[in-house]
Every structure is written in structure tokens, then in C-alpha cells.
Amino acid sequence: MYRLQSCSQLKNKGFRHALSNWVVSFNRSRSVHSLPFATVKTEELSGSQPAEVQNLVQGKWTRSSGWNTIVDPLNGEPFIKVAEVDESGLQPFVESLLKCPKHGLHNPFKAPERYLMLGDISAKAGHQLSLPEVSDFFTKLIQRVAPKSYQQALGEVYVTQKFLENFSGDQVRFLARSFAVPGNHLGQQSHGFRWPYGPVAIITPFNFPLEIPLLQLMGALYMGNKPVVKVDSKVCIVMEQMLRLLHDCGLPMEDVDFINSDGKTMNKLLKEAEPRMTLFTGSSRVADKVAVDLKGRVKLEDAGFDWKILGPDVQEVDYTAWVCDQDAYACSGQKCSSQSILFMHENWTKSPLLRKMTELAARRKLDDLTVGPVLTFTTDAMLGHMNKLLQITGSKLLFGGEALENHNIPAIYGAIKPTAVFVPLEEILKDNNYELVTKEIFGPFQIVTEYKDNQLPLVLNALEKMHAHLTAAVVSNDLLFLQEIIGKSVNGTTYAGLRARTTGAPQNHWFGPAGDPRGAGIGTPEAIKLVWSCHREIIYDYGPLPQQWEIPTAT
């Protein structure tokens, strides 16, 4: 049977006319009902037909005695029941992790065929996500639990698909590539290997319910580890369905445990099972607690108050305004890479930039989810923060600053219009203002400020004082300006040039913080090797001994 492509792909390949209408009809008829792995139907999730999310431990899907009811973030209707494990139900998860030895499920000297198996699984899973009906299923499922526009949700699925394609075939074993160095005498050689940790844990947030947990999970598996995965309960249904797809593609069910619990219970699991490494993606406050509790055996991708600097060379104002709008407000600002503060050179202030940003922000509406619920801040909390900022001398509201209207978003979540507050640079740097201005608001909210040529040292000082160093953008084609900013900053993922942005975590480059030895990356071979393996050196020394060797004098 032919592998059927989307209509646009068929068109690109020249297949038009008779096939096009048939393909459209075929794709519409193949609904989620025909997906062999799926246990939910995105279009039917509701209070009358709630979905159930189970746990996976020791190769079996299980329920629990307690259920956490998740409400629809758009209307407050309870529509997902999550089987949450409490402290009394942790023992099977502890036992499962303890069964995995420190040398892992595989390594270069043990079960190397698993490298090939995981390459095959990646190829199959990547192919599955390339199918329109599967891609659409995950895109709409993401939209149901973490509301964002269809294009933004589809982008998450696309990145995940491309990542899996990147690590198909032999690419998994290439991650374990070793090296050798000649020794001091005949028969001696030192070999460096990438070695797994064995039992590991993965804790991920709500904002990218497929991309973050899946990429980190596969990286952990590729290097030979046995992971337990914990995803924010509000969105865990997405990863549960993805695990079922992976099983359908050949992943042994015993290779991964999947737990739903509250934070306290998960913390107890980590303390009792003592995984050799834990990857945490989320808030800085929780990240620091996890690092202490686990005695530093962690890798962190924590919060980011991400900055963008517009250099003195003003050009392509329409494009720059559009990128600023996307960086600050796509996914309702709920990206760890979202533009938190914009430093504009005074030349940009004289351009139509702010007017165009205002117009672009006004286009966003709840109907198409280009703005939507904020899942970690209430409306009152965000507007209260804005009001505190407006008390700073010289500050002003540029646009937004109002609650969304005519919606049924529950009060536990936030709903505001895309908002920007101007704060003078000198005021930002004052000790009594700095912490307030640089507080990360995980929503459609940004700070805007202005600087002159002679104030660039103040901008650099503001960057130096920041605590989180995830993404940044330097929008300029002035090479000397770029060199100055890049050389005096540390953000791990920095975009530079006319088309620079702060958001974007594709599969083709490193994404992660810098300036912290605990920092984790995602998506690339370098990130996988850094996070999910350690270095092991094996020195072969076969001899022979020199002729007429004798025991030397004591030293």
C-alpha cells in the first residue's frame, strides 16, 4: 500500500487532479479511532467522557486508589482523571529503579544490540509522527491541555518527529563513540567511553508536554539508562499516549516507568530510590531544592528571564516587530525562552517599532488560541505585578494590562491581554527595583526599556546581575556590536544577527542554559552525552614486559 502524504506534500510532488480529493477524503475518514496506540479521542474529552491517565511500572500499566481531576483550562469542566500514586504506592517504583544496575541496561561492553534496537524504534516513531492523522492527534491533544495555537502545537510535534528521525538507524550507537590514545609502551592504550548512569529520573513541566519529556526520555534510553518519568499532571496525558506509541513501535515496556504524583510524593521516590542522575526542567526554586535533596546528582534546565537587545542599526522594522511579538506572546508567553525584557537602542524608539508591536499584540485572540490561559499565574497575580511596576518612577503601560473578556477560563488560571510595561533603564538597576523588574512572569508579559550609546555598560550590568541564563537575542548586523555583547554575556542559547530571536528550541541545535555546572541541554548529540552519560576511561596494558625485567628498588 502506498504511504499517503498530506495534500500539500502531494502537491509538491506534482500529484494533483484525481488523487487530491480522494486523499482529503481518506485522511478525514481515518480518525483517532484507527490509531492502534491511542486510548483517548481528543474531540470527545469532556466532563461526560473524561479520559483516564494511568501509571507504568515494571512493564505494566496500573491505576491507583486516588484520582486527581484535571479541569479543562478553557472552560473549567473536569475532563481528565489522573491516577496519582501516593507515598504508600511508591514501593513498586523504588524496586523497579533499584533493579537497574549502575552500569545501565546497555553500554559499549554490554548488550550493544540495544543501540540498534533504539535506532529502529526512533525510526518507526518518527515515521508515525510524520503521518497526518498521528500528527494531528498529538497536536490537538496538546491544545486541549496546554492551549496554544494549532501552529504552535504542531511545531512541537514536528520538532519531536525530526529529533526521532535524527537518531534513527546507526545514530544511537554513534552517540557512544569512543576514542583511543597510544600508551607509554607496547601493549598499553587508553580508551575513553561514554557510560550510562543506570537508574535515572526525568521531571518535566506543563508548557511543552510532548517535546521536552520525549527528547529527554529518548536521550536517557539511547545512552543505556533506565528512567522513571514524571510530567506535570495537568498535561501528563500527552506523554502517556506517546509512551503507548513507543511501545507500539517496539520499545520494551519494562524500559521506562511513568509515574503520576504530587511533588511531595515524587521527592520521596527520589530520596528512597536514589537515582544516579535526575533531569529537572522547571522553576528555579524547585530546581535548587532538588539539587540539595539529591546531593548534586542533577542536571537542570530551570527558569529563564530572557533578554533581547536591539542594536543601533535599525532595519527591517516590520520583521523585527513580528519576531518580538512571537517571542513575547506565542504560547501566551509560556515558554522558558520567551522574551522577558527588551532593551531598545534609542534609534529603535524613533522608528515605528512600538506602534507595530502594539498592533501585532492586538491581533491575538482567544478564538484561535494565539492568546489563552496562563497555567501558573492567576489574572490577579499578573495584573498585581504590573501595578507594582507602574509605581516605579518613569514607568508606563505600553499596551495590554487588562484581563481577557468573554471567556470561561477558570479562576485558578490567568487570562490577560498581551502586555508590555516600559521601565527606565536607570530605574531597573536600582537595588529596590531590580528583583521586581526581573521577576519572571510565565505569561504574555514583558518589560521594555531604552538605552543610548553611552549607556551600553548599564545594559551589560543589568545582564550580569541576572540569575538565569537560558536564551538571549542580539538583533544587529553590526559585527563589532555583536562581539561586544556576546563577549560580555553568558546565555547558553544566544541568537545573534538581524533575524535573532529568543524562542525556538528546534532539534538541530543545542538548547539549554550556560554559566551553571548543573545546566542541562536538549536535542543534540552533545546535549544527550552531557546529560545522560559520564566519561569512563579504560586503560589496556597487555605487555609484554621488557626482557630481563627485575623488581626495582622501593620508592
Side-chain angles (χ1 to χ4, degrees):
M1 182 177 179
Y2 292 109
R3 177 189 167 196
L4 294 171
Q5 310 281 330
S6 70
C7 294
S8 61
Q9 290 171 311
L10 288 168
K11 183 177 179 181
N12 289 339
K13 293 184 178 182
F15 296 98
R16 306 169 188 256
H17 310 309
L19 279 178
S20 61
N21 290 334
W22 181 83
V23 171
V24 171
S25 174
F26 177 85
N27 281 339
R28 286 176 178 169
S29 68
R30 292 196 64 181
S31 67
V32 68
H33 299 266
S34 66
L35 300 180
F37 64 87
T39 60
V40 299
K41 301 167 185 176
T42 57
E43 70 277 8
E44 295 181 7
L45 285 180
S46 64
S48 60
Q49 298 185 68
E52 290 188 2
V53 180
Q54 299 182 6
N55 300 281
L56 176 65
V57 62
Q58 299 185 26
K60 296 180 180 178
W61 289 104
T62 64
R63 291 183 170 87
S64 64
S65 57
W67 294 89
N68 178 13
T69 300
I70 307 300
V71 298
D72 189 321
L74 290 175
N75 59 29
E77 186 179 56
F79 74 139
I80 298 174
K81 294 167 58 180
V82 179
E84 287 205 346
V85 176
D86 60 21
E87 294 185 10
S88 66
L90 285 178
Q91 193 56 34
F93 293 91
V94 174
E95 292 173 356
S96 183
L97 284 179
L98 291 177
K99 285 179 183 177
C100 179
K102 295 177 184 177
H103 53 258
L105 299 178
H106 63 265
N107 60 54
F109 289 76
K110 171 190 173 182
E113 63 275 5
R114 282 181 53 87
Y115 292 115
L116 305 184
M117 176 193 77
L118 289 164
D120 290 342
I121 291 168
S122 294
K124 293 174 183 176
H127 170 69
Q128 284 291 310
L129 288 182
S130 75
L131 300 176
E133 60 269 30
V134 178
S135 175
D136 185 67
F137 168 78
F138 279 106
T139 299
K140 290 179 176 175
L141 189 58
I142 290 169
Q143 284 190 294
R144 293 303 306 273
V145 294
K148 57 184 81 171
S149 70
Y150 188 90
Q151 195 60 37
Q152 287 286 322
L154 178 62
E156 184 175 347
V157 178
Y158 177 81
V159 168
T160 304
Q161 172 207 331
K162 289 301 177 183
F163 170 87
L164 291 166
E165 292 175 355
N166 286 350
F167 292 98
S168 59
D170 288 324
Q171 296 304 315
V172 175
R173 64 170 153 196
F174 288 164
L175 290 170
R177 189 191 305 271
S178 60
F179 63 85
V181 177
N184 293 332
H185 50 255
L186 184 63
Q188 186 185 74
Q189 278 189 338
S190 60
H191 291 248
F193 296 92
R194 298 311 298 179
W195 216 255
Y197 290 106
V200 298
I202 300 170
I203 304 172
T204 63
F206 73 91
N207 54 333
F208 287 90
L210 178 65
E211 181 181 342
I212 295 176
L214 191 280
L215 268 60
Q216 294 292 13
L217 167 64
M218 298 309 292
L221 289 170
Y222 293 156
M223 301 312 295
N225 301 291
K226 162 67 181 283
V228 59
V229 180
K230 163 75 171 75
V231 181
D232 188 310
S233 292
K234 293 189 290 293
V235 301
C236 61
I237 190 171
V238 178
M239 193 58 194
E240 187 225 37
Q241 294 298 297
M242 187 65 206
L243 278 171
R244 294 181 186 275
L245 183 149
L246 291 173
H247 295 152
D248 203 50
C249 292
L251 180 70
M253 292 190 65
E254 299 83 4
D255 280 13
V256 179
D257 292 336
F258 181 72
I259 186 170
N260 301 299
S261 71
D262 61 21
K264 181 182 176 183
T265 301
M266 187 63 191
N267 192 256
K268 183 176 176 64
L269 171 61
L270 296 176
K271 287 185 173 181
E272 290 189 6
E274 295 187 321
R276 304 299 298 170
M277 216 290 292
T278 294
L279 179 282
F280 177 85
T281 305
S283 78
S284 297
R285 179 183 60 81
V286 178
D288 288 339
K289 183 183 188 309
V290 169
V292 172
D293 290 346
L294 301 183
K295 301 174 182 177
R297 294 193 300 271
V298 296
K299 287 291 183 183
L300 308 176
E301 186 192 320
D302 55 358
F305 188 83
D306 305 301
W307 51 264
K308 178 183 288 180
I309 297 174
L310 305 184
D313 47 326
V314 177
Q315 50 190 315
E316 302 296 348
V317 176
D318 283 351
Y319 180 81
T320 302
W322 174 75
V323 175
C324 285
D325 178 75
Q326 286 292 106
D327 281 347
Y329 305 127
C331 299
S332 299
Q334 295 173 102
K335 297 182 181 182
C336 52
S337 57
S338 289
Q339 178 178 306
S340 304
I341 186 167
L342 177 65
F343 296 91
M344 299 186 303
H345 188 277
E346 62 178 339
N347 293 347
W348 284 93
T349 311
K350 300 169 186 174
S351 78
L353 178 71
L354 288 178
R355 175 176 59 80
K356 292 179 180 294
M357 286 172 56
T358 303
E359 293 169 354
L360 290 170
R363 298 189 308 170
R364 296 185 173 274
K365 53 186 184 295
L366 189 58
D367 291 348
D368 58 7
L369 294 178
T370 49
V371 68
V374 175
L375 303 191
T376 54
F377 279 85
T378 64
T379 300
D380 288 345
M382 288 186 285
L383 295 181
H385 178 70
M386 178 194 71
N387 289 330
K388 290 179 182 179
L389 291 169
L390 292 176
Q391 294 174 16
I392 297 174
T393 302
S395 65
K396 60 184 177 182
L397 179 66
L398 295 177
F399 53 81
E402 298 177 345
L404 293 178
E405 300 173 341
N406 302 318
H407 63 77
N408 294 309
I409 295 171
I412 58 171
Y413 298 140
I416 69 169
K417 295 178 181 179
T419 298
V421 174
F422 179 88
V423 183
L425 180 59
E426 299 91 337
E427 292 293 328
I428 291 175
L429 288 168
K430 290 182 178 178
D431 290 341
N432 57 333
N433 291 335
Y434 189 80
E435 291 299 323
L436 174 66
V437 173
T438 58
K439 178 181 179 180
E440 183 183 19
I441 301 297
F442 216 52
F445 195 99
Q446 67 171 319
I447 304 295
V448 177
T449 192
E450 178 189 19
Y451 71 97
K452 297 177 173 60
D453 284 331
N454 63 358
Q455 291 181 308
L456 188 58
L458 298 182
V459 175
L460 294 171
N461 185 26
L463 307 186
E464 181 68 20
K465 293 175 67 174
M466 291 181 186
H467 301 298
H469 307 291
L470 184 53
T471 70
V474 189
V475 181
S476 175
N477 277 352
D478 182 331
L479 295 181
L480 294 179
F481 182 82
L482 291 176
Q483 183 172 281
E484 178 77 2
I485 302 299
I486 294 172
K488 294 180 179 178
S489 59
V490 298
N491 293 47
T493 305
T494 300
Y495 297 86
L498 174 64
R499 301 185 66 176
R501 53 184 178 164
T502 64
T503 59
Q507 73 293 337
N508 62 302
H509 69 64
W510 163 280
F511 184 87
D516 187 338
R518 306 169 302 173
I522 191 171
T524 64
E526 293 77 16
I528 293 171
K529 287 183 278 190
L530 171 74
V531 175
W532 295 116
S533 68
C534 56
H535 181 86
R536 185 182 187 186
E537 195 85 1
I538 297 176
I539 300 90
Y540 290 102
D541 206 344
Y542 298 116
L545 292 175
Q547 291 184 358
Q548 300 176 350
W549 180 87
E550 296 180 356
I551 296 176
T553 57
T555 58

